Amino acid sequence: METKDKIQQMLDAYPAKTMKNRRKHIFIKDSLQGEQHIEADTRTVPGTMTNRGCCYAGCKGVVLGPLKDMVHVVHGPIGCSYYTWGTRRNKADADDDGKNFINYIFSTDMQESDIVFGGEPKLEKACMEAYEIFKPNAMTISSTCPVGLIGDDVHAVARRVQEKTGMTTFAVSCEGYKGVSQSAGHHIANNKLMTEVIGKGEKEVEGKFKVNILGEYNIGGDGWEIGRILDKIGYTVISVMTGDGSYETLKNANQADLNLIQCHRSINYIAEMIETKYGAPWMKVNFIGVESTVQSLRDMAKYFGDEELAEKTEEVIKEELKEIKDVIAEYREQCKGKTAFLFVGGSRAHHYQNLLAEIGIETVAAGYEFGHRDDYEGRKVIPTIKTNADNKNIESITVEKDEKNYKVYLSPEKYEELKKEIPLGEYKGMISDMKDGSIVIDDLNHYETEAIVEMLKPDLFCSGIKDKYIAHKMGIFAKQLHSYDYSGPYAGFKGAVIFAKDVSAGLNTPTWGYITPPWKISPVLEGELGGEGTC
Ligand code: CFM
């Protein structure tokens, strides 16, 4: 049976309405068909087991949480805090001020009485207590679902805390139910960082070739490896958004000459707003994979157009490649010919394809949990994306040119000229890099995970904790691309070696041949419905 028919068979198991919905989220890449569209960033069909998270997860968990010198107070029931406590491996080390609170979780532990009588007094007390104990550089308050339902005015509380303490304090209305996934939370957090933090710094940052790294969260230390390389070349990294980031550095982000975007999905809004308000352009980079890293470094050198910088870039590339070339070749020998199926949030299913290819692994299927159409098809589709009730629910802000701090970095002519060579203000999306015949799938659910693994029999399944063990039970090596399991960094040159080593070890262990999945031993679960004492 052809893949196309197998996919149809998979969809046929659904009720008609669900099938109609899901078929728009999946296709087989075929260049002969011209542009292929995918439906994305729409509601998950109720009842299907999605891997998506909520708006609060995207706002507090992904974008705000890694800012280490701030205290992030969660206003809500304890579960919202407990289950987001330390589950994302965004590492951080304190700067000179010694303030690093990311190992903590701060919650108001909302109870029934707070729901009935209002939780504002408790929230204010919690913020003041956290301030007294930790003296953070700034504070955020994140709203969870009940806050929106009962109407606690978190913004008023934030204003009162700021008045009393003199510390920057702002609240975010990122109730979990907003939007259709954590993607809504990214947008809300981006807006707040832009209005409340970026541009508030008063000191001028010294240094040549000033950049910010956007959408880099230092998972497993990725940001540190990228920072090491940029530092060696001679860049000044003003701020990283937001892995190992801080309020203190983020305040000055408006002073950068160029914004580098690693994860487009979670942070493109800030890049656009900085460009409008302060003038600095943004460029898409990818520091996952050796070739992608080399390409990104060369693109950066081209942007700055400085001869010495270009020379140093080549020197560093040469030096780094020399160190890793043979090791990568060795792992390639061990992994070549294998296939992979990637399903990650909103950027990694794309970013890892080059790195896998470098060790001889072909990506046969890939998808995002919550990416938008532009993350699949490229930014060119943005004007054609329809707004719906769910995305209208998310505040969209417009910023204006800051006459005092606006700088012209490139003349419009130079910008257009450079745009032909480097991805300035451009992201081409995942589909263009995929081979014909590969499957692209959006918001994969657990039934489809099993069906596609069964269908393609990939050697490697890269996803997260929610579906890792399904693959393992099916005898297939699964690598978590969210948390990197317990490993990392995977970015840059040194990271590529660690990734190759981990993948090679996972693929080549004889373990997979010894596994008999439970459904092969007792394929049918037997039980009785109803009976005495059941309700
Ligand atoms: Fe960006 Fe991320 Fe990702 Fe993301 Fe995430 Fe993540 Fe991710 Mo998990 S910001 S979209 S919301 S690269 S937590 S560091 S790994 S789903 S692919």
Side-chain angles (χ1 to χ4, degrees), residues 4-52:
K4 175 165 100 338
D5 302 321
K6 287 185 188 163
I7 290 175
Q8 191 51 51
Q9 200 178 46
M10 174 180 91
L11 296 173
D12 280 342
Y14 286 127
K17 212 172 145 197
T18 308
M19 183 183 72
K20 217 174 130 210
N21 177 313
R22 287 303 300 155
R23 76 190 317 172
K24 294 184 203 150
H25 294 262
I26 177 166
F27 69 77
I28 299 168
K29 161 119 189 222
D30 179 5
S31 324
L32 292 176
Q33 285 191 31
E35 279 169 18
Q36 290 175 291
H37 302 303
I38 191 159
E39 189 147 303
D41 190 35
T42 53
R43 281 187 194 188
T44 300
V45 178
T48 52
M49 292 288 286
T50 174
N51 277 12
R52 283 175 165 179

Side-chain angles (χ1 to χ4, degrees), residues 101-139:
F101 310 115
I102 67 160
N103 288 333
Y104 294 93
I105 188 95
F106 300 87
S107 171
T108 52
D109 184 22
M110 209 175 219
Q111 301 291 321
E112 225 169 76
S113 58
D114 305 314
I115 303 277
V116 177
F117 301 107
E120 287 175 33
K122 194 177 191 183
L123 172 63
E124 191 168 333
K125 212 169 142 211
C127 292
M128 290 308 295
E129 195 180 329
Y131 170 75
E132 292 303 334
I133 300 172
F134 296 97
K135 295 274 162 21
N137 292 338
M139 190 178 276

Side-chain angles (χ1 to χ4, degrees), residues 56-72 84 88 90 92 100-105 140 142 189 193 217 242-245:
Y56 152 79
C59 180
K60 190 265 168 191
V62 173
V63 181
L64 299 179
L67 292 162
K68 61 191 173 188
D69 58 346
M70 303 170 89
V71 158
H72 305 285
T84 53
R88 187 161 174 263
N90 42 255
N100 178 8
F101 310 115
I102 67 160
N103 288 333
Y104 294 93
I105 188 95
T140 68
S142 294
L193 291 180
Y217 300 93
T242 54
D244 196 28

